[in-house]
């Protein structure tokens, strides 16, 4: 079998790089506890706590550290000179934003952001291709606010996340400082309840959206994951600053931006979803996909029949004549049914070498569906495949 591995482009040029200062984020978590013991009126203590919390966060976004040097990128990450400043494995997403008269590619990481100055669209494409953060790469993740900006759910989350808790906290602090026992305990209990409600509302204001080659996966910090395949998506559009995905059944997915502008993150999400939707509609299911899909067969019969797909001496099975390269096309196809992609991987298992296993793991990394991703990983790693394949549905 002729094995093919992905090749990684190299990127190197002299440019400016901006990185967020991690110590400012740490200060925003510690500073409010340092000022809570100030022997002052309740309103002054509350004001100091609010300023100690918001000030470092604003500085974390607005005052990045800017450096200039030779910027290089490959599959391992982004380097400035000889120093690795962002690992590829920890990068959630990348998008273009304009700031201070220049264009930047922003990479989101757990420790903050990394901005790389670019000159034009070709420069952007070269950088993203080197990092495998373009549409050919693995799943990209965006942190956005769900629902339309003018929806009741969005307004309710904002009210219970910011203004209402601020008023209740001021009242609770006043009761604690101005009243004697047991009213001080009542104020403390009210403050704790308010903080819990505020935390829950704040967490629901954010949602992690993962976009792969097969669909969209959404998850909030306090909710369960929900997957929407591209086969269920009808259209995607920007409506008054909101990103709206219309579903075939009449529903919609929505995320809001800044007032009437979508913002750089939503624009990048819209482009990625649109490309995945176009690829899904442009390609038809191949002959191999229709033969390798499970259909009405039992899991045992399905696995038994697809395992002989690359055996030239077997002519009695329906998938016996499919060549290996056509099986690889099915595994890596974003539009093939999930059971067909998994069936093609099972058919290739008997002829997999180290390069083939690497290629199969690369295909699994582009799946937003965790069920399909785990099924492909189990085939590549020689784990028991029957339990994983039984969970797949087209």
């Amino acid at each position: 079998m002729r094995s093919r591995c992905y090749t990684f482009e190299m990127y190197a040029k002299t440019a400016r790089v901006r990185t967020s200062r991690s110590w400012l984020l740490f200060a925003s978590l510690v500073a409010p506890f340092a000022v809570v013991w100030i022997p002052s009126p309740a309103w002054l203590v509350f004001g100091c706590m609010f300023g100690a919390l918001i000030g470092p966060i604003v500085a974390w976004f607005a005052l990045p550290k800017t450096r200039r040097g030779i910027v290089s990128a490959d599959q391992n990450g982004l380097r400035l000179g000889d120093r690795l400043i962002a690992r590829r494995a920890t990068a959630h997403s990348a998008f273009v934003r304009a700031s201070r008269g220049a264009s930047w590619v922003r990479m989101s990481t757990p420790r903050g952001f990394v901005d790389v100055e670019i000159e034009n669209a070709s420069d952007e494409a070269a950088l993203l291709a080197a990092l495998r953060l373009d549409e050919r790469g693995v799943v990209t993740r965006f942190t956005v606010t769900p629902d339309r900006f003018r929806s009741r759910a969005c307004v309710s989350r904002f009210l219970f996340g910011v203004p209402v808790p601020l008023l209740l906290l001021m009242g609770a602090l006043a009761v604690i400082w101005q009243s004697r026992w047991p009213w001080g305990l009542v104020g403390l209990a009210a403050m704790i309840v308010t903080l819990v409600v505020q935390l829950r509302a704040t967490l629901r204001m954010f949602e992690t959206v993962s976009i792969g080659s097969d669909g969209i996966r959404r998850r909030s910090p306090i909710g369960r994951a929900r997957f929407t395949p591209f086969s269920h998506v009808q259209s995607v559009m920007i409506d008054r600053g909101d990103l709206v995905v219309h579903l075939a059944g009449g529903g919609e997915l929505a995320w809001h931006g800044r007032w009437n502008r979508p913002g750089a993150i939503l624009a990048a999400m819209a482009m990625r979803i649109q490309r995945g939707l176009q690829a899904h509609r442009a390609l038809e299911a191949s002959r191999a996909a229709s033969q390798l899909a499970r259909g009405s067969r039992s899991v045992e019969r399905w696995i038994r029949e697809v395992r002989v797909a690359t055996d030239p001496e077997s002519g009695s099975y329906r998938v016996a004549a499919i060549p290996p390269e056509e099986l690889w096309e099915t595994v890596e196809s974003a539009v093939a049914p999930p059971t067909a992609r998994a069936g093609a991987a099972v058919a290739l298992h008997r002829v997999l070498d180290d390069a083939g296993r690497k290629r199969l793991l690369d295909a699994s990394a582009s799946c937003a569906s965790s069920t399909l991703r785990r099924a492909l990983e189990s085939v590549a790693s020689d784990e028991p495949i029957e339990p994983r394949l039984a969970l797949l549905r087209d």
Side-chain angles (χ1 to χ4, degrees):
M1 183 189 72
R2 181 171 56 91
S3 298
R4 175 174 61 87
C5 294
Y6 288 106
T7 59
F8 297 91
E9 298 86 351
M10 292 293 296
Y11 177 91
K13 63 170 292 186
T14 301
R16 288 186 297 170
V17 174
R18 302 189 307 190
T19 56
S20 56
R21 304 175 191 266
S22 301
W23 66 269
L24 286 173
L25 182 61
F26 177 76
S28 68
L29 302 177
V30 176
F33 295 97
V35 302
V36 71
W37 304 108
I38 296 178
S40 301
W43 64 269
L44 182 58
V45 173
F46 179 79
C48 292
M49 289 180 60
F50 185 78
L53 173 65
I54 299 300
I57 293 180
V58 173
W60 183 61
F61 281 103
L63 299 175
K65 183 177 181 180
T66 303
R67 290 167 287 179
R68 184 178 182 86
I70 299 178
V71 179
S72 59
D74 55 22
Q75 71 271 23
N76 296 318
L78 187 71
R79 287 181 171 82
L80 180 61
D82 296 331
R83 181 183 179 186
L84 184 66
I85 59 176
R87 295 185 180 276
R88 172 60 187 86
T90 61
H92 299 165
S93 60
F95 57 92
V96 179
R97 66 190 303 270
S99 175
R100 300 180 183 178
S103 296
W104 309 76
V105 170
R106 169 160 291 188
M107 295 174 54
S108 300
T109 67
R111 297 182 60 183
F113 63 85
V114 178
D115 288 348
V116 181
E117 186 180 13
I118 58 173
E119 298 177 355
N120 47 43
S122 300
D123 197 13
E124 171 200 350
L127 175 60
L128 296 182
L131 293 167
R132 286 200 71 199
L133 285 171
D134 57 356
E135 62 271 11
R136 300 179 304 148
V138 297
V139 176
T140 56
R141 299 197 303 272
F142 302 87
T143 301
V144 288
T145 304
D147 297 316
R148 293 179 182 247
F149 180 74
R150 297 163 181 82
S151 66
R152 293 182 179 178
C154 184
V155 174
S156 299
R157 280 194 293 267
F158 173 75
L159 291 177
F160 285 98
V162 182
V164 172
L166 290 180
L167 295 176
L168 294 178
L169 283 174
M170 291 181 66
L173 286 172
V175 171
I176 294 174
W177 260 267
Q178 302 297 330
S179 302
R180 298 181 179 179
W181 189 89
W183 292 108
L185 294 179
V186 174
L188 180 61
M191 185 174 67
I192 294 175
V193 172
T194 302
L195 289 175
V196 171
V197 173
Q198 182 185 26
L199 178 62
R200 180 177 175 83
T202 302
L203 291 177
R204 291 183 66 87
M205 291 175 65
F206 300 97
E207 185 176 67
T208 300
V209 180
S210 303
I211 305 174
S213 61
D214 51 349
I216 307 167
R217 184 174 181 267
R218 300 167 295 140
R219 184 168 189 173
S220 67
I222 56 175
R224 61 184 181 86
R226 291 165 292 177
F227 177 72
T228 303
F230 282 130
S231 59
H232 295 176
V233 176
Q234 186 175 14
S235 63
V236 55
M237 62 179 296
I238 299 292
D239 180 20
R240 293 187 296 179
D242 301 333
L243 173 59
V244 183
V245 176
H246 296 285
L247 304 180
E252 69 175 28
L253 310 177
W255 303 275
H256 78 73
R258 300 172 297 181
W259 301 103
N260 286 327
R261 293 186 298 147
I265 293 181
L266 291 189
M269 287 178 58
M271 181 178 298
R272 187 68 187 269
I273 295 174
Q274 186 64 41
R275 287 175 178 174
L277 186 59
Q278 290 174 352
H280 182 82
R281 292 175 175 176
L283 298 178
E284 296 180 353
S286 65
R287 174 176 61 92
S290 61
Q291 292 179 338
L292 292 167
R294 177 182 172 182
S296 59
R297 291 177 286 181
S298 65
V299 175
E300 293 76 13
R301 179 188 170 192
W302 174 41
I303 295 176
R304 184 175 65 251
E305 293 184 356
V306 299
R307 273 179 171 167
V308 297
T310 56
D311 187 357
E313 298 180 358
S314 178
S316 60
Y317 290 95
R318 56 195 292 212
V319 294
I322 302 176
E325 278 306 313
E326 193 169 350
L327 292 174
W328 278 116
E329 291 178 2
T330 304
V331 171
E332 298 168 344
S333 173
V335 301
T339 59
R341 298 180 67 180
V346 173
L348 286 167
H349 180 265
R350 62 181 295 273
V351 292
L352 282 180
D353 54 10
D354 290 341
R357 295 179 190 275
K358 174 64 168 56
R359 184 175 174 182
L360 187 56
L361 290 175
D362 286 340
S364 69
S366 68
C367 299
S369 170
S370 59
T371 305
L372 177 58
R373 182 174 63 254
R374 291 167 183 167
L376 296 181
E377 290 173 348
S378 65
V379 175
S381 58
D382 294 330
E383 297 178 357
I385 60 175
E386 286 82 359
R388 299 291 189 190
L389 296 180
L391 299 176
L392 286 175
R393 297 292 185 271
D394 289 333

